[in-house]
Amino acid sequence: MALSRWNIMVMALCTGLIVANIYYSQPLLVLMSEEFGVSESNAGQVTFFTQVGYALGLLFCVPLGDKLERKGQIIAMTFTAVLALTAAGFSHNITMLKITGLLIGFTSVVPQLILPLAANLSDAANRGKVIGTIMSGLLVGILLSRTLSGVVGHHLGWRAMFWIAAGISLLLVVIMLFSFPKSQPKFGGSYGDLMKSLVTLIREQPMLREASAINACCFAMFGMFWTTVVFLLSDKPFGYTSEQIGLMGLAAAAGALGAPLIGRIADKKNPRIAIGYGIIFLLAGYGMFYFFQTNIIGIIIGIIAIDLGLQGIHVSNQTRIYALLPEARNRLNTVFMTASFIGTSLGSGIGLWVWSVGKWNGVCVAGTTLILIALVIYLATYKRK
């Protein structure tokens, strides 16, 4: 079954609303720390555990898309996310909130099941464009989730955000049930064979290793920024509320509209070109963060720059790996996105530590270092097609 424009738009909507589940907590960290009487760094571990859960879900659940019927798996995972989100809203202490954060991350890997489904049902000439469109939904979801969460947290409290998210996810279960096409897998081996094949793919596909390493560094930079910018903006000279901090997501969401254009470039030209430009945008963004750290306009420009840069890198890398082995797209995506979100988790964790010892200057130096590592990998593998 070929994808219609309606199918693609619904997939983009579902992708954005589900991936938002793992980012709602970020603008709420200060509120959580105040309610439970813990430090901001302790509360920040909720974000870290959520990202770890997402990485684990990518590793153990996404490969099943090459073995199970994808629509059924997507619906089952989304319904489980409803239960995890509901439980988070009833958390009695910070430990329970960390555990439910882990479960929210684990069950919210649905976007990484939707993307291979879309790639399988798209023709090669338009695959980059389709991936770019769905990635727009994903990126808008990531970025606007912070805006929505900040507003809800400010007016209704942090618990309300998790209950609202549970309601949204339940509605999506119904939408997906009636609108998603079915896609039969081709892998006939056991789950053990499926997992072992991940190692084979890593060993035999140098492009997969390259793309995963670059993405891991860039996602670590991204996770570090969004975990620590909450502390920067809530402190002097800004003193912003969770609602105002959440509005920063609007600046980044503007850049997400560029994902389909990047996808078209990937369809027509060598995607590595977009990756190189993306790294330049990331460096420019962190330069703005360092030199204009007390100027909100400079911070906003930096946010737009790193969002555009990350899009260029991620969409181009994902288009490249989907072209390697069509029958193994879920497993390729597993390796690629697990590396990416391990990067995000480590970036969040390192960011909390760097903030505790070096505040914002330390974050800027650490983030720039991660981007430079990605640049070294990019340049060292430049001759590979």
Side-chain angles (χ1 to χ4, degrees), residues 93-322:
N93 53 55
I94 196 67
T95 301
M96 183 176 176
L97 193 55
K98 291 174 186 177
I99 293 170
T100 54
L102 185 76
L103 295 174
I104 290 169
F106 188 83
T107 55
S108 295
V109 295
V110 170
Q112 304 311 324
L113 296 169
I114 294 175
L115 280 162
L117 172 63
N120 267 21
L121 297 173
S122 304
D123 59 85
N126 294 310
R127 187 169 295 124
K129 178 182 177 182
V130 171
I131 292 170
T133 300
I134 296 175
M135 278 298 301
S136 285
L138 184 144
L139 291 165
V140 169
I142 290 173
L143 300 166
L144 291 188
S145 63
R146 299 180 177 94
T147 302
L148 174 61
S149 180
V151 172
V152 171
H154 180 72
H155 293 284
L156 302 176
W158 64 266
R159 295 178 187 274
M161 187 63 253
F162 288 103
W163 292 328
I164 291 171
I168 292 172
S169 296
L170 186 60
L171 178 61
L172 293 180
V173 169
V174 178
I175 292 173
M176 292 186 292
L177 184 64
F178 290 102
S179 63
F180 270 32
K182 290 188 175 182
S183 176
Q184 294 300 330
K186 297 180 181 179
F187 187 87
S190 67
Y191 181 71
D193 293 334
L194 193 72
M195 297 304 290
K196 289 177 183 176
S197 69
L198 296 176
V199 178
T200 302
L201 290 172
I202 295 170
R203 184 176 62 248
E204 296 181 352
Q205 300 294 333
M207 184 184 292
L208 176 61
R209 296 195 299 269
E210 170 202 331
S212 298
I214 291 173
N215 250 52
C217 292
C218 296
F219 271 56
M221 170 279 305
F222 201 66
M224 179 182 294
F225 170 77
W226 283 108
T227 298
T228 55
V229 74
V230 177
F231 307 138
L232 173 73
L233 296 179
S234 63
D235 203 356
K236 296 179 180 179
F238 301 106
Y240 288 172
T241 65
S242 64
E243 180 179 30
Q244 292 170 314
I245 294 170
L247 291 174
M248 292 300 103
L250 291 175
L257 300 177
L261 175 60
I262 294 167
R264 292 190 189 99
I265 294 172
D267 285 332
K268 296 178 181 179
K269 298 180 180 180
N270 185 346
R272 285 185 61 85
I273 296 173
I275 296 171
Y277 284 121
I279 292 174
I280 293 172
F281 271 101
L282 296 185
L283 289 171
Y286 263 74
M288 295 296 296
F289 296 149
Y290 183 81
F291 290 108
F292 297 93
Q293 56 187 270
T294 59
N295 185 317
I296 193 60
I297 301 300
I299 297 292
I300 290 173
I301 293 172
I303 290 174
I304 294 172
I306 65 169
D307 180 56
L308 284 171
L310 191 68
Q311 284 183 66
I313 294 165
H314 184 70
V315 172
S316 299
N317 272 332
Q318 203 155 39
T319 301
R320 294 166 75 208
I321 66 162
Y322 282 157

Side-chain angles (χ1 to χ4, degrees), residues 1-29:
M1 175 183 174
L3 288 177
S4 66
R5 182 169 179 81
W6 167 252
N7 291 139
I8 295 169
M9 297 310 295
V10 170
M11 285 181 171
L13 174 68
C14 292
T15 296
L17 290 174
I18 295 172
V19 79
N21 292 341
I22 64 175
Y23 294 99
Y24 286 134
S25 63
Q26 289 182 351
L28 305 174
L29 297 178

Side-chain angles (χ1 to χ4, degrees), residues 51-64 77 105-106 108-113 195 198 330-331 333-342:
Q51 298 291 350
V52 169
Y54 197 83
L56 292 173
L58 285 167
L59 179 59
F60 293 107
C61 296
V62 173
L64 284 168
M77 291 293 292
F106 188 83
S108 295
V109 295
V110 170
Q112 304 311 324
L113 296 169
M195 297 304 290
L198 296 176
N330 272 75
R331 282 167 287 162
N333 200 44
T334 293
V335 174
F336 177 67
M337 290 306 302
T338 298
S340 299
F341 275 86
I342 286 175

